[in-house]
Amino acid sequence: MDPFSEVIRVLSDVLAPHGPVVAGVKTMSPSDYSIHFFLQLAVIVLTCRVVGWLGQKFLGQPQVVGEMIAGVVLGPSLLGLLFPEIQAAIFPKESKNVLYVGAQLGVGLYMFLVGTTLRIDHFKSKAKSAMTVSFSGILVPFLLAALITPMLLGVPGLFTPGISQASATLFLGACIALTAFPMLARIIHERGLSNTSLGTLSLTAGAFDDAVSWCVLAVVLATFGGGPGVAILAIGGGLLWAGIVVLFGGKLLAPLARAVEAKGEMSPTILAVVLIAFCTSAFFMDVVGIHAIFGGFILGVVMPRGLFADELRKKIEPLAVVLLLPMFFTYSGLNTRMDMVNSVELLLIAFGILIVSILAKFGACYAAARFSGEDNRTALGIGVLMNSRGLMELIIINIGLQKGIIGPTLFSMLVLMAIVTTVMASPLFEVVYGKKARETGELDELKGGMVAAAA
């Protein structure tokens, strides 16, 4: 064989597995994982930027919404449907574990950055209203989930055979009650709401809703076969670690903040200490069964403000948001099979879940905000923001799929619900709150926030 033909042969074989044969199947070697990982990163970032740009330009959507859609585009629902061989070559099944780890790092760092922007003073002033909104946004979804779950259990393939009605109800209720906390933060920053009471009330209520949903998920996992120890460890361990971070984190970090203020910048050593603390907090929350992202968020909340927080965002944000976070959307997209919703009955079920989810979350949070004394426009804004589910929904339904609670069909329906409710949030918020607020001078013109700067 001539050298040119040999080069062509080698290049055509570059994405094939080169490891040992196990059970009659050739496996991937360490270098194969590396080759695929960097190719995947290039494809993921390119696709996310392009789809995100299109969403911003033509639909007025935040970059993150485009990234959610890009994840589905790269999965079996589009790329795998049109070009299955190409999709399988770029994203072989064996490489998913590597992609998963990168995805968790990205979403954990993102939530850490979100935590650094939480206004504690607004939280204190709006605690009562936030708890009212949050409680309503949890209670109503669970009540409606209890009504529709018996019907869903009668449809083969939605829930895993043998799951109890109670476990199925709790899981579906948690999915409907979730608020896309990172997405909520992104909209709030991009719409110039970071320093408003509406923004902080929504963030506070969203954080509590998600924490409760994770605790409910722990109970579901326990009743589904994990044992009561799973729920006890998740709830007790999560509260214990959060308490330790809140009580002692600020005091331990104060000397570092003073050093940054004195020098006028954050040194690599201080950055290393913060990243070690982040990994430790994420580790403990992951170990107890809540999720690494809550470890990142709770640590971000206690980070010193001022120059210290500004330097953290300056150093961490671009890499976390542009490179790492898109991996999570793609990982979710690889598990999404829209082609499985392939009958009139399943389409009606998907539509029904979407409508119930919107009515439960938006309606309950709007009513609770009005009851708490907020004006109609503010209450509508809160209801719209709390109804977006994006990132958090993808996380919890991925866990449900991996743990065998739900099947791929219901997973795809819930992905669709997450995308639609998230896409709705930004334009609806402009209609009910943002446009009028800018006309009256309450808000500045649309501007990029913490994460939008990297978009």
Side-chain angles (χ1 to χ4, degrees):
M1 183 179 293
D2 62 273
F4 180 75
S5 299
E6 179 65 15
V7 170
I8 296 297
R9 186 193 66 78
V10 172
L11 288 176
S12 64
D13 193 47
V14 70
L15 295 181
H18 299 91
V21 176
V22 178
V25 179
K26 202 164 190 179
T27 60
M28 293 176 65
S29 67
S31 61
D32 289 334
Y33 285 105
S34 177
I35 290 171
H36 279 86
F37 181 71
F38 288 112
L39 176 61
Q40 289 169 359
L41 274 183
V43 171
I44 289 169
V45 174
L46 174 62
T47 306
C48 285
R49 301 315 291 182
V50 171
V51 178
W53 177 80
L54 290 173
Q56 285 180 317
K57 185 172 180 63
F58 298 106
L59 300 175
Q61 292 291 336
Q63 171 72 22
V64 69
V65 176
E67 292 172 2
M68 283 181 61
I69 297 172
V72 176
V73 167
L74 290 173
S77 296
L78 189 60
L79 180 60
L81 187 65
L82 300 177
F83 307 101
E85 292 183 358
I86 294 176
Q87 202 267 348
I90 298 174
F91 299 101
K93 185 178 180 180
E94 299 91 333
S95 69
K96 279 189 178 182
N97 289 341
V98 178
L99 194 62
Y100 174 82
V101 175
Q104 300 314 299
L105 176 61
V107 74
L109 282 173
Y110 181 78
M111 290 304 298
F112 172 67
L113 294 172
V114 169
T116 66
T117 67
L118 190 66
R119 291 285 301 270
I120 303 299
D121 55 337
H122 283 168
F123 170 75
K124 292 178 180 178
S125 64
K126 290 288 182 178
K128 183 178 179 180
S129 297
M131 289 303 102
T132 302
V133 171
S134 178
F135 179 76
S136 300
I138 293 170
L139 179 62
V140 176
F142 276 96
L143 289 176
L144 290 182
L147 292 177
I148 66 173
T149 298
M151 293 180 287
L152 298 181
L153 283 170
V155 180
L158 297 185
F159 286 98
T160 298
I163 189 172
S164 68
Q165 182 173 322
S167 294
T169 299
L170 288 175
F171 181 81
L172 186 61
C175 291
I176 297 175
L178 272 174
T179 291
F181 192 46
M183 179 66 211
L184 178 64
R186 187 99 171 225
I187 294 175
I188 285 172
H189 284 287
E190 290 189 358
R191 293 303 185 261
L193 294 164
S194 299
N195 295 317
T196 67
S197 60
L198 181 149
T200 299
L201 190 156
S202 300
L203 276 176
T204 304
F208 187 76
D209 280 8
D210 287 358
V212 170
S213 293
W214 284 111
C215 291
V216 170
L217 177 62
V219 173
V220 173
L221 293 176
T223 58
F224 195 64
V230 172
I232 295 172
L233 179 63
I235 298 173
L239 290 174
L240 176 62
W241 179 250
I244 291 173
V245 172
V246 170
L247 289 175
F248 302 107
K251 296 176 182 178
L252 294 174
L253 292 165
L256 300 182
R258 290 193 291 269
V260 171
E261 294 286 348
K263 192 174 181 181
E265 63 178 3
M266 180 174 287
S267 69
T269 300
I270 292 179
L271 178 62
V273 171
V274 172
L275 290 176
I276 291 170
F278 160 76
C279 291
T280 303
S281 188
F283 165 78
F284 275 112
M285 279 298 195
D286 232 355
V287 164
V288 300
I290 298 295
H291 200 280
I293 63 169
F294 284 102
F297 174 71
I298 196 67
L299 184 67
V301 169
V302 303
M303 283 287 137
R305 298 305 193 255
L307 182 62
F308 188 91
D310 292 340
E311 283 286 293
L312 268 181
R313 290 191 289 270
K314 178 181 175 183
K315 293 179 182 297
I316 297 175
E317 176 189 325
L319 185 66
V321 173
V322 176
L323 183 66
L324 299 178
L325 187 59
M327 281 192 281
F328 176 78
F329 296 115
T330 301
Y331 182 81
S332 295
L334 294 176
N335 291 321
T336 303
R337 294 286 306 272
M338 292 300 181
D339 59 317
M340 299 192 74
V341 187
N342 54 10
S343 69
V344 174
E345 180 188 18
L346 293 177
L347 285 172
L348 289 175
I349 291 173
F351 183 72
I353 290 174
L354 173 63
I355 296 302
V356 167
S357 300
I358 293 172
L359 292 177
K361 195 68 179 181
F362 169 80
C365 293
Y366 165 77
R370 289 289 285 155
F371 178 78
S372 299
E374 302 292 341
D375 61 79
N376 187 61
R377 187 160 56 88
T378 300
L380 284 171
I382 292 170
V384 168
L385 291 176
M386 293 292 287
N387 187 52
S388 64
R389 292 177 180 82
L391 188 59
M392 300 306 294
E393 186 76 9
L394 295 182
I395 293 172
I396 198 168
I397 63 178
N398 268 283
I399 293 174
L401 183 65
Q402 292 163 10
K403 299 294 185 181
I405 298 172
I406 60 175
T409 303
L410 183 55
F411 175 86
S412 298
M413 291 178 180
L414 292 174
V415 169
L416 181 63
M417 182 265 281
I419 291 176
V420 172
T421 55
T422 305
V423 168
M424 288 171 54
S426 189
L428 273 181
F429 180 78
E430 281 301 299
V431 171
V432 303
Y433 187 90
K435 184 178 180 181
K436 183 67 174 179
R438 266 178 283 281
E439 289 176 354
T440 59
E442 296 173 50
L443 293 177
D444 297 330
E445 290 301 310
L446 282 178
K447 59 184 179 179
M450 175 193 76
V451 184

